[in-house]
Amino acid sequence: RPVTDRFAQIEPKVLLAIDGYRYGGKDFDSSAKVEEIAAELPGTEVVRFGYSDGTGWPAGFGGEAELEFTPVDAIQPRASILNTVGFYRAQLGDFTGALHDCRQALAVFQKSGEVDGEASVWDSLGYIHHGLREYDKAIDCFGKALAIYREVADRYWIADTLTHLGDTYQACGQPSAATAAWREALGILDELGHSHAADVRLRLTQPLVRVDT
């Protein structure tokens, strides 16, 4: 479920998926998972690549060119999982565990220089501190995520982080700052034609009062 939740946020046009993998000397079939994810993303074109039978590869990449596979360090994927687990722990109210997981993920991303991962963790930490009503810390975390997303010009995630930042400003009784953040987010989402614009527009039409969430 976390996978489809994340994909739904960015509404991808095309999803490249391989239906199996090899681990520990054994082959594993993940075709059912691919079908499940595809069913949750009705507006997305899913391009499938067969692990066992080789289907889809010539059409998808470089004709008859031979593919080369390079082993990669598994630390960064683990950090992404820690961040995702931490975020969902926070949604369940386990803020202590969430902070522990996300701080571990942050250390890995900062050491490796993976800025997208670092920004994502800062956003998760902002959500966690918001849930703890530590609004100053939440604003600082969202600000750090926003700075990275602006640097890499990732417009959707700029808007997403601005939306979260606006929510925190509203919660701590700063309606003007909340409105400014939401308006900037809405402008970006409207330009992108993203469905999340409706959610931000709704925020701007409702009375701005302090709401602790």
Side-chain angles (χ1 to χ4, degrees):
R1 188 67 205 183
V3 173
T4 53
D5 286 346
R6 290 287 186 175
F7 280 144
Q9 288 181 327
I10 60 174
E11 297 185 335
K13 300 299 182 184
V14 179
L15 174 66
L16 306 181
I18 186 168
D19 62 9
Y21 60 95
R22 187 172 182 81
Y23 180 77
K26 297 181 179 179
D27 292 333
F28 293 87
D29 183 3
S30 57
S31 57
K33 292 181 180 179
V34 172
E35 293 298 331
E36 182 181 349
I37 293 172
E40 293 289 333
L41 302 170
T44 302
E45 178 186 354
V46 179
V47 180
R48 295 171 176 80
F49 298 95
Y51 172 75
S52 59
D53 60 13
T55 57
W57 293 95
F61 292 105
E64 299 298 325
E66 183 177 351
L67 296 175
E68 296 182 4
F69 297 90
T70 303
V72 296
D73 194 335
I75 293 178
Q76 288 188 19
R78 289 173 186 169
S80 296
I81 293 171
L82 278 171
N83 181 40
T84 300
V85 170
F87 179 79
Y88 284 101
R89 274 190 170 187
Q91 288 190 320
L92 295 172
D94 180 10
F95 296 111
T96 300
L99 282 171
H100 179 264
D101 290 340
C102 288
R103 284 170 178 166
Q104 285 191 74
L106 181 63
V108 172
F109 285 129
Q110 288 180 325
K111 184 177 180 179
S112 66
E114 176 56 55
V115 293
D116 287 335
E118 180 183 348
S120 179
V121 179
W122 280 123
D123 184 70
S124 296
L125 286 168
Y127 179 86
I128 294 166
H129 286 298
H130 182 115
L132 290 167
R133 300 184 182 181
E134 297 172 345
Y135 298 124
D136 288 342
K137 290 183 179 179
I139 290 169
D140 180 63
C141 290
F142 287 135
K144 289 176 178 176
L146 187 59
I148 294 173
Y149 286 135
R150 288 192 193 281
E151 184 176 349
V152 300
D154 193 326
R155 301 188 70 216
Y156 170 77
W157 290 110
I158 290 171
D160 188 66
T161 305
L162 282 167
T163 303
H164 299 162
L165 183 60
D167 292 344
T168 300
Y169 278 134
Q170 181 195 21
C172 67
Q174 300 185 50
S176 296
T179 298
W182 289 335
R183 282 178 176 168
E184 185 179 354
L186 180 60
I188 295 171
L189 293 171
D190 276 340
E191 289 179 7
L192 295 175
H194 201 286
S195 62
H196 286 181
D199 296 331
V200 180
R201 188 171 284 106
L202 181 61
R203 284 171 165 82
L204 287 166
T205 61
Q206 294 180 343
L208 294 182
V209 296
R210 177 169 179 150
V211 179
D212 293 333
T213 57

